[in-house]
Amino acid sequence: QVHLVESGGGVVQPGRSLTLSCATSGFTFRNYGIHWVRQAPGKGLEWVAIIWSDGSYKYYGDSVKGRFTISRDNAKNTLSLQMNTLRAEDTAVYYCARVGSGSYSADYWGQGTLVTVSS
Amino acid sequence: QSVLTQPPSVSAAPGQKVTISCSGSSSNIGGNYVSWYQQLPGTAPKLLIYENNKRPSGIPDRFSGSKSGTSATLDITGLQTGDEADYFCGTWDGSLSAYVFGTGTKVTVL
């Protein structure tokens, strides 16, 4: 059974950094790309970033470009989202999701981890 | 700001049908497959439709998707109270090199 579990969320001050992790099981990690998607309280889904299965390509949403970095280590089955210079508007539940078929659909999602940026 | 536009809400009585539209452009829907996601209250999103009209295992055939040009549609027939949720369309945008989601539609069962 495919599972994704996010961790690393919490309360952080504006301007500080935080790293989220996404642990996976039930599939061959190195064969799949991974999305990060976030959802601010009471708002819709906002795509954050994607990393290819081999890590060769990474793309970011405009609101996080230059501040967030997605990375993976296929030898260790680990995936991370390094978030720098955090702003109040980065407050959201962050989900990791496996890239499925058909124009990068997100076929399995984690339960999410809440990041609150506040002084 | 979302590049895919959906109606904020739709509603119907149990057993009836609702249709949710998703409007985009040639750089996203027009040139790529569309997916649909269901988000029940307090839970993570779940893939409902992929490649415009395919259902993952376990998704009932009451849910169906279609695409025409730069728009896509999700139909829910035989509406049930358990279908009350937010629904989002999504696809890749080749011009933005980004995945884009629709604005989201809240389905209410009257």
Side-chain angles (χ1 to χ4, degrees):
Chain A
Q1 209 168 11
V2 174
H3 279 117
L4 298 96
V5 179
E6 305 88 345
S7 61
V11 180
V12 60
Q13 293 179 328
R16 304 297 290 264
S17 299
L18 196 66
T19 299
L20 304 183
S21 297
C22 175
T24 68
S25 61
F27 64 98
T28 303
F29 178 72
R30 65 178 180 272
N31 290 346
Y32 289 86
I34 301 289
H35 290 284
W36 282 100
V37 177
R38 69 184 182 183
Q39 187 170 36
K43 302 297 185 182
L45 301 177
E46 181 186 10
W47 179 78
V48 173
I50 186 173
I51 186 167
W52 257 231
S53 58
D54 61 358
S56 58
Y57 289 94
K58 306 171 188 179
Y59 296 102
Y60 299 90
D62 283 345
S63 60
V64 308
K65 207 171 293 183
R67 299 187 300 124
F68 290 13
T69 301
I70 188 171
S71 62
R72 67 189 297 160
D73 184 336
N74 285 346
K76 297 180 179 179
N77 277 15
T78 59
L79 183 121
S80 299
L81 182 69
Q82 171 74 35
M83 306 185 294
N84 297 331
T85 321
L86 284 162
R87 307 166 179 165
E89 53 265 36
D90 295 319
T91 294
V93 174
Y94 285 74
Y95 299 99
C96 61
R98 193 182 77 168
V99 176
S101 61
S103 300
Y104 312 109
S105 68
D107 63 356
Y108 289 92
W109 297 63
Q111 85 290 346
T113 187
L114 176 63
V115 173
T116 302
V117 183
S118 173
S119 54
Chain B
Q1 188 165 351
S2 299
V3 299
L4 304 181
T5 303
Q6 299 178 230
S9 64
V10 296
S11 61
Q16 298 300 302
K17 173 184 173 181
V18 294
T19 296
I20 302 171
S21 60
C22 175
S23 178
S25 67
S26 58
S27 65
N28 42 66
I29 292 178
N32 292 286
Y33 289 116
V34 176
S35 298
W36 288 91
Y37 305 91
Q38 177 193 57
Q39 187 175 32
L40 297 169
T43 70
K46 179 176 76 172
L47 181 65
L48 205 59
I49 297 287
Y50 68 101
E51 293 183 6
N52 301 334
N53 54 20
K54 296 179 181 178
R55 288 184 306 276
S57 174
I59 302 299
D61 59 6
R62 300 186 299 104
F63 296 91
S64 63
S66 62
K67 187 187 102 166
S68 178
T70 59
S71 293
T73 299
L74 174 70
D75 288 324
I76 309 174
T77 59
L79 201 61
Q80 301 177 358
T81 55
D83 297 333
E84 286 203 331
D86 294 318
Y87 293 81
F88 299 89
C89 56
T91 188
W92 186 257
D93 189 302
S95 294
L96 299 175
S97 292
Y99 196 84
V100 291
F101 287 103
T103 48
T105 299
K106 183 176 183 59
V107 170
T108 300
V109 181
L110 300 173

